[in-house]
Amino acid sequence: MRPRLLLPRGDLARPCSPAIHSTTTRFFTQSASVCVGIRTRPQLGFLNVPVTTQQYRYLTTERKARLKQDIKQGIKITSFLWMAGACCFAIAFVLVQETLEARYPTPHEWSMLSRIFFRGAFCERDQTDPSRTTDWVHVTNWIKGVVDRLEDPSIDGKGLHDAPSDRPTGTKDISTMSENWRRGYYEAMMLYAKAAENVENWVTDKTQNLTVPNDYVIGPSNPNPRPFPNENYRPPQEDDCVPTFESPNEIYMRILSTPGLTNRQRIEAGLAYATWLEFKQITGPANIILENAVDLAATEQALLTGGGQSPLDTKTYTLINDTAGAGHHHPSSNLLESLTALATFRARNGDVSSALPMLVSILQARRTLPSTDPRRIPPLPQKKRTWAGAALALLKEPPYPDPPEDGTLPPLRDAKERCEEAALSLHIGEIMYTAKSNTPGAAHHREEGLGWTREAVDIAEEQLRGLSNKSSAMSARLTCRECLAAGLENWTMMVSRLAREEKARKEELERNPDLSNPKKTSWWSFWGQGEHKQEDLDRWAAEEKVIAERQRRAADLLEELPTGSRGFLSFLQA
């Protein structure tokens, strides 16, 4: 029997340690299992024991209450922001309306919506943004809304009555309304007529509800229509279009036929209507309306002076200046304005023989106007406001302005009236310079016209330099500035024409030297008819230099510099 080794089974299976057969140092810290392949148990999915994780509740009672509180807080903050925005918008709207009310006053008895429409229409008319132009369609819609509300008895027209049947359709009798209401109604109607002039040719396509100028309408009356700019609409057809707005003729006739207006308002409406008719080249009716305005002013003055002699010659429409010394015989403002409009109208339409005497008589009458008039009530001096008074004034509605002058008194001869005289001199100079250019004495008439023009420029410049920059003198400054600019322009054109003729005559003398020798011309040279003096050949060229110097000197007067208020931030301005 073979003897067995008394060794463990594991020792026989294990190979010899490398430390016995090699000199390699074995560290005691090294595990013996490093050299032996380690077999691990395979990780199978179905053998893994499932591990249960802890489940959480995301919408607990505390979180639910917190979410409700956050939602309520968000709604509250959003509501506060909307309310603050609405308050800011309301404050801005009120400030804008207060500013417009100070610029365009409205009667306090009107409803708020009518007053807002009235201010908006006038603000759009006086558009100052250079990048925009006045939208007359919006102006017409706004002011038409005002007129409709004023003529509606259930809104702002309580107590308003229709005019008699012999007046134009739609005319109202406003004689029973208050004076402020009538003034506001007149201003609204005049703006309505002015806006209708600018939208006279606008039509509405009934099939597309589209409002466009009639230049785009396709039809027999417009054989060459303009290309329609909007591709979303088809070009309107003439059979589908109707006039959008009321005709200016109808509006002006309603104003002139309205009972309750003053003579001053009728005269102003008549002058505006005549200007519109002249623009439309309807000169016959325009002349009749201007003559009616002059007759109305003359009749009014004759009645106010106790039935005395009228200062107007009704045949030639010239003023009678033999009784200019009496104050009550001075022509009234209404008569001077209407007669000036009639004279300039006739001059523009070629009736110089009638216009020139009228203008000369008006100029003589203006030069005899009084500088003071005891019948005029001087304005009361304004009291200085304290801080408390200014704060209380902000809380009150500004008062409606007092009515303007009715034009029955003669104007005072102040700076503005002197500039009106200069404007008349300009008209007379233009007529005398151009009317008789083909007559034998044309050169003499030209020099007379130049003399009137020089005088007008001197007067306008003198008055403009003497005026202050106060707001009370702005109307006079505007009149004098317009007169000075027109005078310099006319003077330049007249002298330039004469200088060109002078230059041509000088060149002709250089080509034909015999013309300048009085001994070789004719026997008329014995009387000096053939002489050409050197100063006569250089006269108008020298006057051109004088005009250039006058234009340079008057440049600062013709420029309108903005004079804004300088507050506590003025140091930030250049």
Side-chain angles (χ1 to χ4, degrees):
M1 183 175 181
R2 188 176 178 179
R4 296 190 301 175
L5 296 175
L6 298 176
L7 291 174
R9 187 179 299 270
D11 293 341
L12 293 176
R14 182 174 58 199
C16 296
S17 176
I20 302 176
H21 304 284
S22 65
T23 59
T24 303
T25 305
R26 180 182 181 186
F27 299 95
F28 291 98
T29 58
Q30 184 175 358
S31 176
S33 62
V34 175
C35 300
V36 182
I38 301 176
R39 294 182 179 181
T40 59
R41 185 178 182 181
Q43 300 293 328
L44 300 178
F46 60 89
L47 296 178
N48 292 335
V49 179
V51 179
T52 57
T53 58
Q54 185 178 0
Q55 299 291 333
Y56 293 95
R57 292 181 58 193
Y58 289 100
L59 194 61
T60 59
T61 304
E62 293 79 2
R63 291 187 177 182
K64 187 182 297 183
R66 185 176 179 180
L67 284 175
K68 289 181 180 180
Q69 183 180 1
D70 292 344
I71 292 174
K72 290 180 180 179
Q73 195 73 13
I75 294 175
K76 186 184 299 185
I77 293 174
T78 304
S79 302
F80 287 160
L81 291 176
W82 277 101
M83 292 173 62
C87 291
C88 293
F89 177 79
I91 292 173
F93 179 78
V94 170
L95 292 177
V96 170
Q97 291 300 320
E98 286 295 324
T99 304
L100 294 179
E101 176 66 23
R103 191 183 305 170
Y104 310 110
T106 54
H108 298 169
E109 53 196 295
W110 289 3
S111 61
M112 183 57 65
L113 194 59
S114 299
R115 300 174 70 178
I116 291 175
F117 287 171
F118 184 89
R119 300 170 195 145
F122 275 88
C123 183
E124 180 63 28
R125 182 201 65 176
D126 302 334
Q127 183 62 244
T128 57
D129 188 358
S131 61
R132 290 186 54 197
T133 57
T134 301
D135 192 343
W136 287 105
V137 175
H138 287 172
V139 174
T140 308
N141 290 329
W142 281 332
I143 202 64
K144 184 179 183 301
V146 175
V147 173
D148 292 342
R149 293 177 63 88
L150 293 179
E151 294 179 349
D152 191 348
S154 62
I155 303 178
D156 291 326
K158 297 179 181 179
L160 196 66
H161 304 286
D162 292 334
S165 58
D166 58 341
R167 307 296 174 91
T169 305
T171 306
K172 301 296 181 180
D173 185 358
I174 63 174
S175 56
T176 59
M177 310 301 290
S178 65
E179 198 276 335
N180 292 345
W181 194 98
R182 284 178 285 159
R183 285 167 53 196
Y185 179 78
Y186 169 75
E187 293 178 2
M189 288 295 293
M190 289 298 293
L191 180 59
Y192 187 25
K194 183 65 176 179
E197 293 178 7
N198 292 271
V199 295
E200 182 189 20
N201 297 324
W202 285 66
V203 296
T204 299
D205 189 348
K206 297 180 294 183
T207 60
Q208 305 181 86
N209 194 20
L210 183 66
T211 301
V212 294
N214 60 359
D215 298 341
Y216 300 102
V217 178
I218 300 176
S221 62
N222 189 22
N224 298 316
R226 296 172 57 186
F228 198 64
N230 196 338
E231 298 179 355
N232 297 326
Y233 296 92
R234 58 179 175 80
Q237 302 294 324
E238 186 174 355
D239 297 337
D240 301 331
C241 296
V242 294
T244 306
F245 304 104
E246 193 174 358
S247 171
N249 297 322
E250 300 176 0
I251 301 175
Y252 278 121
M253 292 304 298
R254 285 172 54 190
I255 297 174
L256 294 175
S257 305
T258 300
L261 295 180
T262 63
N263 289 337
R264 175 75 174 185
Q265 293 170 342
R266 296 178 190 277
I267 291 173
E268 291 178 351
L271 298 184
Y273 187 26
T275 303
W276 165 249
L277 292 176
E278 184 183 5
F279 173 75
K280 301 295 289 184
Q281 298 181 357
I282 309 175
T283 56
N287 185 70
I288 295 175
I289 290 176
L290 289 174
E291 291 180 355
N292 292 338
V294 174
D295 294 337
L296 176 62
T299 305
E300 179 188 41
Q301 183 171 3
L303 293 175
L304 292 176
T305 54
Q309 182 181 3
S310 174
L312 178 69
D313 184 357
T314 55
K315 294 182 179 180
T316 59
Y317 285 98
T318 57
L319 292 174
I320 303 173
N321 297 305
D322 54 350
T323 58
H328 60 277
H329 286 146
H330 288 296
S332 63
S333 299
N334 292 339
L335 184 57
L336 288 175
E337 291 183 10
S338 57
L339 192 58
T340 303
L342 178 60
T344 53
F345 168 79
R346 291 186 176 180
R348 286 192 299 268
N349 290 274
D351 191 2
V352 178
S353 60
S354 174
L356 190 57
M358 294 168 61
L359 291 173
V360 173
S361 66
I362 296 171
L363 181 59
Q364 292 175 354
R366 283 190 178 275
R367 288 178 175 176
T368 59
L369 290 176
S371 57
T372 58
D373 193 344
R375 292 175 294 178
R376 294 180 180 270
I377 301 176
L380 297 176
Q382 296 182 355
K383 298 180 180 180
K384 294 184 178 180
R385 285 187 178 182
T386 60
W387 288 99
L392 292 176
L394 294 176
L395 303 177
K396 297 180 181 180
E397 192 172 20
Y400 196 66
D402 297 332
E405 296 183 357
D406 56 0
T408 57
L409 297 178
L412 299 179
R413 196 164 185 261
D414 52 7
K416 183 177 180 181
E417 287 303 319
R418 285 183 170 85
C419 289
E420 294 288 351
E421 297 174 13
L424 288 173
S425 299
L426 284 180
H427 291 310
I428 296 173
E430 290 178 4
I431 293 174
M432 297 190 68
Y433 185 86
T434 59
K436 300 180 180 181
S437 58
N438 297 325
T439 58
H444 177 67
H445 291 298
R446 286 183 179 182
E447 292 189 7
E448 285 188 357
L450 272 174
W452 285 97
T453 305
R454 293 193 199 98
E455 182 183 1
V457 172
D458 294 339
I459 294 175
E461 184 177 359
E462 179 184 359
Q463 298 302 321
L464 193 56
R465 291 190 183 278
L467 290 172
S468 62
N469 292 327
K470 296 181 180 180
S471 58
S472 58
M474 289 304 297
S475 177
R477 289 186 63 85
L478 179 60
T479 303
C480 294
R481 185 181 295 110
E482 292 177 353
C483 181
L484 179 59
L488 288 174
E489 183 180 0
N490 289 357
W491 192 9
T492 303
M493 294 176 62
M494 292 176 181
V495 174
S496 299
R497 180 178 177 182
L498 293 175
R500 288 194 299 269
E501 295 178 358
E502 180 185 69
K503 184 179 179 181
R505 187 166 60 252
K506 190 175 181 180
E507 292 177 352
E508 183 179 359
L509 292 176
E510 291 177 356
R511 290 193 301 267
N512 301 321
D514 295 339
L515 296 176
S516 61
N517 190 355
K519 297 181 180 180
K520 297 183 180 180
T521 53
S522 64
W523 64 275
W524 287 103
S525 62
F526 177 78
W527 301 101
Q529 298 295 329
E531 298 181 1
H532 297 278
K533 298 180 180 180
Q534 184 65 27
E535 55 269 19
D536 293 338
L537 297 179
D538 298 334
R539 174 185 177 184
W540 303 118
E543 189 160 349
E544 280 187 321
K545 298 179 181 179
V546 174
I547 296 174
E549 178 62 23
R550 292 290 294 271
Q551 289 177 339
R552 185 193 63 80
R553 190 175 65 182
D556 58 333
L557 298 176
L558 297 177
E559 293 180 358
E560 180 65 22
L561 299 178
T563 57
S565 60
R566 299 179 66 86
F568 65 96
L569 295 179
S570 60
F571 64 92
L572 297 177
Q573 301 177 4

